[in-house]
Every structure is written in structure tokens, then in C-alpha cells.
Amino acid sequence: SSGINAEYGEVKANNEYHGFLIGKKGANVQKLKKEFGVNYAFPRPDDKDQETITIMGKQDAVEKAAADLRTAIKELENTAEEEISIDAKFFKKFFPWIKGGRENT
């Protein structure tokens, strides 16, 4: 083999999660680059597609990195959902006259 066998993988993530995935000053991405030996390309502000993150590297590394990224995205989605449900409880406690959410008596 020539040693150059770049593969591309794509992972879709809600644009609002990209900052978390990249990390402060790119810390998360740097860590993953070291760990998996791959490169990441996040959408630029002028790209039509604002969700697709491209991973470049050797095939097995790209697959591992993509799986890792998908796990991180799932965690972010779960965290976001938990925060929404906490907000609803908080709302009910402090604004009982506002109807909404499930009644739990």
C-alpha cells in the first residue's frame, strides 16, 4: 500500500452542538485528533449544510472517531432534554398559575 489511504466519514450534528464538540480553543478536537489520528472539518458559516462534520483519516480510525463523535452527540442531546424537563419543573414551582406540563399531584 502507498500509505496514503484517506477515507472520509460524515457525522451529522445539530449546529448548536458544534461548539461543545470542538471544545474551548479546539481542545476536544485536538484530543480526538491525537487519539484517533484523524482530522475533523466542521461547517463554515457560509456553508449551506450546517450539520455535517467530516472526518478524514484511515478507514478504521475514521470509523472509531465517528462512533466516538456520535456518542458525544447523543450525550449532548440527552443533556439538552434533561435541562428542558428541569425547566418545566422549575416553572411549575415558581409560576404555578401558568398552565402547562403534566399535572403531578
Side-chain angles (χ1 to χ4, degrees):
S1 73
S2 64
I4 301 170
N5 76 358
E7 290 284 332
Y8 292 86
E10 288 186 347
V11 175
K12 287 200 181 289
N14 193 317
N15 181 263
E16 65 195 59
Y17 298 146
H18 292 191
F20 295 105
L21 297 170
I22 293 167
K24 278 208 174 97
K25 293 187 178 162
N28 295 347
V29 167
Q30 294 305 324
K31 190 176 127 250
L32 294 171
K33 279 182 182 175
K34 274 204 189 89
E35 190 176 336
F36 298 107
V38 296
N39 274 309
Y40 293 85
F42 283 79
R44 290 188 303 272
D46 57 344
D47 285 345
K48 261 205 191 88
D49 178 352
Q50 284 294 308
E51 294 200 334
T52 303
I53 302 158
T54 307
I55 305 168
M56 294 146 284
K58 292 199 169 136
Q59 187 176 358
D60 58 337
V62 166
E63 283 167 14
K64 283 179 191 152
D68 189 84
L69 204 54
R70 285 192 187 100
T71 302
I73 292 160
K74 266 208 182 72
E75 282 171 14
L76 285 169
E77 287 170 349
N78 292 342
T79 305
E81 279 169 24
E82 278 168 27
E83 280 174 10
I84 290 163
S85 63
I86 289 165
D87 283 349
K89 283 183 196 141
F90 171 90
F91 228 82
K92 218 166 179 54
K93 185 175 175 189
F94 293 98
F95 307 101
W97 60 89
I98 298 174
K99 292 278 171 258
R102 286 190 306 251
E103 300 297 321
N104 45 359
T105 49

